[in-house]
Amino acid sequence: MARKYQLDKAPRKGASGIDYQKELNEQQYAAVSSAPGPALVIAGAGSGKTRILTYRVAYLLDQGVDPRSLLLLTFTNKAAKEMMERVRELIPMDLSDLWSGTFHSIGSRILRRHADEMGLTRSFSIMDRDDQKSLMNTVVAECDIDTKSRRFPKVDVLISIFSLVENTGVLLEDLLECRYPYFEEWAEEIAQIGEAYTAKKLETNSVDFDDLLILPLRLLKKNKDVCELYQKRFQYLLVDEYQDTNAVQSELIHLLASPQNSVMVVGDDAQSIYSWRGADMDNILSFPHRYPDAETYKIEMNYRSVPEVLALSNAAISANTKQFKKNLIAARSGGSMVPALVALEDPHTQANFIAQRILELRDEGVELKEMAILYRAHHQSLEIQMELTSRGIPFEITSGLRFFEQAHIKDVTAFLRFVTNMRDEVSFKRFCLLLPGIGTATASKLWRLWLKTGLSRNETPPERFSDTMLKFSVPAKAKKDWEQLCYILDELAPGGSYARSSEMITSVLEGVYDEFMRASFENYDNRRQDVEQLIMYAESFDDIVELLGQLSLMSTADGEPTGNKAEKDDEQIVLSSIHQAKGLEWKIVFIIWLTDGMFPNGRVLEAEDLDVFEEERRLFYVALTRSKDELYLTYPQINPKSYTGDVITRPSRFLDDCPEEMLEEWEVGPAW
């Protein structure tokens, strides 16, 4: 029997001298100074979550804890770097042995040390997205699957499918049924590719991003000695943004924390908004059940927002049934106004109001960079982008490209550009490349065939494009789609005259592009909504040439966004989806399109699933709590160019949970 020998704690030098009770509020101090063991810290919006984690690390080090025994897990490299920089400022000691980083970086570190256990060498390659797509293309080709009769999912979609399966533990069949029902007919082939892809990665000594979580977890479950090695080393685990963890991350934390279970997780269930990418809020809700002796600390003092904004935020989230009940309290004194509820005539008037109010606030001394316009979906920013551009107000979009610069919008408009300018080689090749079996060389060949017809020199379209283009030789795989494409071109310019702009886009969407989007993009629903929004926008243009001209002005020129070339500093207003805005804050926040079907999203309403709806309400809560000083909630009362016809909108049902006294209604009059 081995003799046991206990090491004494090494004498400490250079203790920080921090007065923790003075530096922290009562709730923060209780969490930071808590005894070893499982701890759940529910840190409300703006309550100083990062401060709690950094001071907890400093506190443990001040208690003589060896830096080697600490593990700090975050979701972004930026967060990990920021926390360690703050810790170094707080406590003067060597922290090189403290493991801190993202789940994936820590997973990579463990895997690199024990690669041979998983059939890899220590020099294994970590594939980026392009590498992953290239390897997946190779696998699909080697599987020799016949995709000529039906459109097969592109590699980007396959990668997303396999990633969700790995990170959520959901069976492939169930995932396809729930999220990709249009690919259920390919279930057997997709499963075949998944197995072949896993084998190919091993064969090429490569791993992808998901493997940096999956393989370390398998390693620890497979090898008891390796698992105990890390369990003994990491006596204290600290986890950031715990509400965003998926099934694999949660199991990895639980395994590393055993058996001493000295794990502190920090998060906010009310800000759990990423289930669509695998996050499971049940991880944070069930933490007290997984660790029955866990202490729960609620951090409710908010240092960001004025009381008026917090009162509304508390009321808005109170209707959710699945949550840790809390009440954010403002550290700041009262603001200059209660949140404004602004009903406007239509989307154009909504954009007008916001642009005018932005200019007024700027004149009052608020910098543009301190203002943000938030929305549920990217396409809802279209009218805003148009109005800001026309008024010369510089803006930055964090939710993606400007509306008309997006690939799917350019794909659709390529059809329209070609029929109005039959010498447009770029547009012709762009829509050719959408078809299966057509690459750059074939697209160039088809363009040369088109030039030989002489029709490209005409000012007006031919009676029927199909009479000429169906004679072109195309690969067998593309034949059916090429025929459809030719008939779509006929619909765009029937009898040599142009159809209405909105009808042209509808023909492209329903005739050929919807199927392409389903197979090509992981966020198909969002992209379809964008195209539908373009259809609505096109309703106001009788002349297709005028519409295309406007799109060009709103797109890029010489590599710089139009309407924003002169503004390269920080003096820009921010346009962002709410998902992208999480963790950020501004003095002034506008939340737009607060109507049923827009926010909450139409798919959420159709789902009639309480969990899905409550996540949507959490998204609303996140939007509200981004505001520091002033908050404007706006919605158009009429959507005159709806994809399904003119409609009178219903104000968002989230507003039903907001007491009237917490909002001030603004009545906006017409322009003189």
Side-chain angles (χ1 to χ4, degrees), residues 299-317:
I299 316 298
E300 298 171 301
M301 182 64 72
N302 175 288
Y303 294 91
R304 174 188 300 154
S305 306
V306 294
E308 293 82 358
V309 168
L310 289 185
L312 183 66
S313 303
N314 288 329
I317 197 63

Side-chain angles (χ1 to χ4, degrees), residues 260-378:
Q260 66 274 8
N261 292 335
S262 186
V263 52
M264 174 178 283
V265 300
V266 181
D268 183 6
D269 56 293
Q271 297 186 70
S272 179
I273 57 175
Y274 296 116
S275 67
W276 49 274
R277 67 184 189 195
D280 187 354
M281 192 181 75
D282 281 344
N283 291 338
I284 193 168
L285 293 179
S286 64
F287 188 89
H289 301 289
R290 169 167 262 183
Y291 301 96
D293 56 340
E295 294 288 343
T296 298
Y297 302 90
K298 293 182 181 180
I299 316 298
E300 298 171 301
M301 182 64 72
N302 175 288
Y303 294 91
R304 174 188 300 154
S305 306
V306 294
E308 293 82 358
V309 168
L310 289 185
L312 183 66
S313 303
N314 288 329
I317 197 63
S318 64
N320 270 15
T321 58
K322 291 186 176 181
Q323 63 169 310
F324 291 105
K325 291 287 186 181
K326 55 185 170 298
N327 186 59
L328 295 183
I329 303 167
R332 298 177 58 191
S333 57
S336 60
M337 60 175 279
V338 297
L341 178 61
V342 191
L344 297 140
E345 183 179 356
D346 54 29
H348 177 69
T349 309
Q350 177 178 243
N352 250 331
F353 165 76
I354 291 172
Q356 180 172 314
R357 190 71 189 120
I358 287 169
L359 293 175
E360 291 169 350
L361 289 164
R362 186 187 63 178
D363 290 343
E364 293 171 13
V366 182
E367 295 180 281
L368 291 181
K369 66 180 179 181
E370 289 288 357
M371 296 184 246
I373 302 169
L374 306 183
Y375 35 80
R376 174 63 176 84
H378 187 53

Side-chain angles (χ1 to χ4, degrees), residues 84-104:
M84 289 311 300
E85 285 176 350
R86 292 193 187 184
V87 171
R88 289 188 180 94
E89 291 173 0
L90 290 172
I91 193 161
M93 65 183 299
D94 180 13
L95 300 178
S96 57
D97 286 335
L98 191 159
W99 279 31
S100 170
T102 65
F103 282 90
H104 293 86

Side-chain angles (χ1 to χ4, degrees), residues 162-233:
F162 297 140
S163 178
L164 281 169
V165 168
E166 292 282 20
N167 285 295
T168 63
V170 175
L171 294 174
L172 175 63
E173 296 80 4
D174 295 337
L175 179 71
L176 293 179
E177 180 183 1
C178 177
R179 300 182 68 154
Y180 301 90
Y182 36 87
F183 290 141
E184 283 188 275
E185 59 181 333
W186 288 110
E188 186 176 331
E189 289 84 354
I190 292 173
Q192 177 190 349
I193 289 173
E195 293 174 5
Y197 175 61
T198 299
K200 178 66 77 172
K201 286 187 291 184
L202 197 61
E203 177 189 327
T204 58
N205 196 39
S206 302
V207 300
D208 59 29
F209 201 56
D210 292 320
D211 290 328
L212 299 179
L213 295 179
I214 302 298
L215 295 183
L217 180 59
R218 288 179 186 166
L219 167 71
L220 297 178
K221 294 171 74 173
K222 167 187 172 184
N223 191 313
K224 183 180 178 182
D225 291 339
V226 172
C227 186
E228 289 182 351
L229 173 71
Y230 289 101
Q231 288 174 337
K232 288 177 180 177
R233 169 165 184 161

